[in-house]
Amino acid sequence: MSTVILAIESSCDETSASICRDGVILSNVIASQKVHEQYGGVVPELASRAHMQNIVPVVDKAVKDAGITMQDLSAIAFTQAPGLIGALLVGAQFAKSLSLALDIPLIAVHHMQAHVLANLIPTATNGQPDPKPSFPFLCLTVSGGHTQIVLCESPLKMKVIGETMDDAAGEAFDKSAKILGLPYPGGPLIDKYAREGNPKRFSFPEPRIPELNFSFSGLKTAILYFLQENTAADPQFVEKNLSDICASIQYRIITILMNKVKKAAIQTGVTDICIAGGVSANSGLRSTLTEWGKQFKWNTYIPAFQYCTDNAAMIAMTAYYKYQAGDFSTLGIDVTARAEW
Ligand code: KG4
Ligand code: ZN
């Protein structure tokens, strides 16, 4: 008998539902909340309310797109941590209610583990299955809230071997964009302008952080001072140089990330290397990983674009492994905002 899992993701500002049958994603519906744009960042209470409005239609569409009925479900999974508490609660309560009503197991999934396992979601190019990483592999997980290097020994055995001491890489993109006067979330816009710019035109500092850890708060301050100085001399400085500024900021963020990945590869001897999380959608990071992979003889992997930013397919994939391991939760399980795992 096949294993059919409904997974729900509601940790931040995307309401998403996905159906997975025997490790194959049948549907992945994502409703992105636009309400936060006007505030320049995610407003937690508005996120919870939008999840409440979205969750039923999003789940309905995921079930319909997959061509199944609720009675076909073997289990229901949800993002349990980390995230905004109110937002997580909406997905958790919905999943618990369905688990109770349908009398099927409940599976709690860690959002960061799921970002990593997005690399294992079966995909195909021109009808041919895409190659997937072999264990052990390293994953650079870069999102709006986290920046980690994870050593993965098996789907459910992962260890964080490096992480940020302050801002996440996505925050570094978004805060830089905000200083430049670009709307939220600025990461994709920096990526867009950077494509036209010269990454070596302006030089921003690379912090000296021990081990495999990261820091991005100094970069934000350096960008702020750099812009204050230059706009004092020429008020049109940003408009005239936007592409070069974006390319130079992006170049620095990418080199900070990739130098630590290289260090991790040398330290662990692992040569299968993945990226995951919202920032793995960045075109510069994707091409740099591929180039460095050729140079240092790594096998590199990048999730399909739709599995980089928050999505329920990655929750479903993780839940599939947990289902096989019999790793179920009780209805009493709480959501948590913290990232520890
Ligand atoms: O994983 P994600 O969707 O949500 C979190 O779990 O945080 O990541 C969102 C982050 C945001 O900071 C967004 O600006 C960044 O990913 N991001 C990008 C790009 N697309 C999304 N950053 C740089 N370039 C992109 N193309
Ligand atoms: Zn995420």
Side-chain angles (χ1 to χ4, degrees), residues 3-17:
T3 303
V4 183
I5 298 174
L6 163 64
I8 292 166
E9 155 62 32
S10 70
S11 64
C12 192
D13 58 345
E14 254 92 31
T15 318
S16 181

Side-chain angles (χ1 to χ4, degrees), residues 70-141:
M70 287 293 194
Q71 274 58 45
D72 296 323
L73 294 177
S74 319
I76 174 141
F78 69 101
T79 304
Q80 184 257 336
L84 302 168
I85 285 292
L88 287 167
L89 272 172
V90 177
Q93 291 311 118
F94 189 90
K96 286 179 187 183
S97 313
L98 264 188
S99 160
L100 192 65
L102 297 172
D103 194 22
I104 52 174
L106 182 68
I107 303 176
V109 172
H110 194 288
H111 183 86
M112 300 311 293
Q113 186 175 29
H115 268 305
V116 174
L117 295 183
N119 279 286
L120 299 186
I121 296 176
T123 49
T125 309
N126 301 326
Q128 294 300 313
D130 295 326
K132 298 293 165 196
S134 323
F135 294 102
F137 65 80
L138 289 173
C139 184
L140 170 73
T141 315

Side-chain angles (χ1 to χ4, degrees), residues 120-176:
L120 299 186
I121 296 176
T123 49
T125 309
N126 301 326
Q128 294 300 313
D130 295 326
K132 298 293 165 196
S134 323
F135 294 102
F137 65 80
L138 289 173
C139 184
L140 170 73
T141 315
V142 270
S143 70
H146 302 92
T147 299
Q148 300 178 328
I149 298 181
V150 183
L151 174 62
C152 309
E153 287 167 13
S154 69
L156 301 178
K157 194 165 176 224
M158 299 185 188
K159 193 171 164 207
V160 178
I161 58 172
E163 60 192 327
T164 184
M165 326 274 286
D166 42 54
D167 291 352
E171 256 178 302
F173 271 105
D174 295 341
K175 287 181 178 170
S176 304

Side-chain angles (χ1 to χ4, degrees), residues 103-340:
D103 194 22
I104 52 174
L106 182 68
I107 303 176
V109 172
H110 194 288
H111 183 86
M112 300 311 293
Q113 186 175 29
H115 268 305
V116 174
L117 295 183
N119 279 286
L120 299 186
I121 296 176
T123 49
T125 309
N126 301 326
Q128 294 300 313
D130 295 326
K132 298 293 165 196
S134 323
F135 294 102
F137 65 80
L138 289 173
C139 184
L140 170 73
T141 315
V142 270
S143 70
H146 302 92
T147 299
Q148 300 178 328
I149 298 181
V150 183
L151 174 62
C152 309
E153 287 167 13
S154 69
L156 301 178
K157 194 165 176 224
M158 299 185 188
K159 193 171 164 207
V160 178
I161 58 172
E163 60 192 327
T164 184
M165 326 274 286
D166 42 54
D167 291 352
E171 256 178 302
F173 271 105
D174 295 341
K175 287 181 178 170
S176 304
K178 197 168 187 178
I179 300 171
L180 290 169
L182 299 173
Y184 175 87
L189 287 171
I190 294 208
D191 188 357
K192 183 178 146 212
Y193 290 114
R195 281 175 221 196
E196 315 290 319
N198 173 4
K200 302 281 174 70
R201 169 92 187 279
F202 304 111
S203 174
F204 296 108
E206 179 162 1
R208 291 173 187 275
I209 304 297
E211 309 297 335
L212 298 172
N213 297 321
F214 304 91
S215 166
F216 289 100
S217 63
L219 176 64
K220 184 180 58 191
T221 314
I223 294 167
L224 187 65
Y225 288 158
F226 164 83
L227 289 179
Q228 279 173 353
E229 232 168 71
N230 282 286
T231 47
D234 175 4
Q236 310 287 294
F237 178 76
V238 172
E239 288 83 342
K240 287 182 194 160
N241 299 288
L242 188 59
S243 296
D244 288 346
I245 300 171
C246 288
S248 303
I249 293 172
Q250 180 168 299
Y251 172 78
R252 179 51 69 217
I253 296 174
I254 292 171
T255 45
I256 292 173
L257 293 169
M258 290 302 299
N259 280 333
K260 293 292 178 149
V261 169
K262 187 174 151 198
K263 194 170 177 182
I266 293 169
Q267 269 183 22
T268 58
V270 171
T271 52
D272 271 28
I273 305 202
C274 310
I275 53 175
V279 180
S280 66
N282 182 269
S283 58
L285 181 61
R286 293 166 87 93
S287 58
T288 308
L289 179 77
T290 309
E291 280 161 28
W292 287 36
K294 284 187 190 131
Q295 195 181 338
F296 299 117
K297 305 210 171 1
W298 304 333
N299 304 311
T300 59
Y301 306 88
I302 305 173
F305 199 78
Q306 69 271 28
Y307 304 136
C308 288
T309 47
D310 287 349
N311 66 88
M314 66 184 194
I315 307 298
M317 196 66 207
T318 310
Y320 174 64
Y321 289 110
K322 288 194 142 194
Y323 186 93
Q324 287 177 315
D327 187 352
F328 303 125
S329 294
T330 62
L331 291 174
I333 188 168
D334 272 336
V335 296
T336 141
R338 289 190 321 271
E340 288 93 53

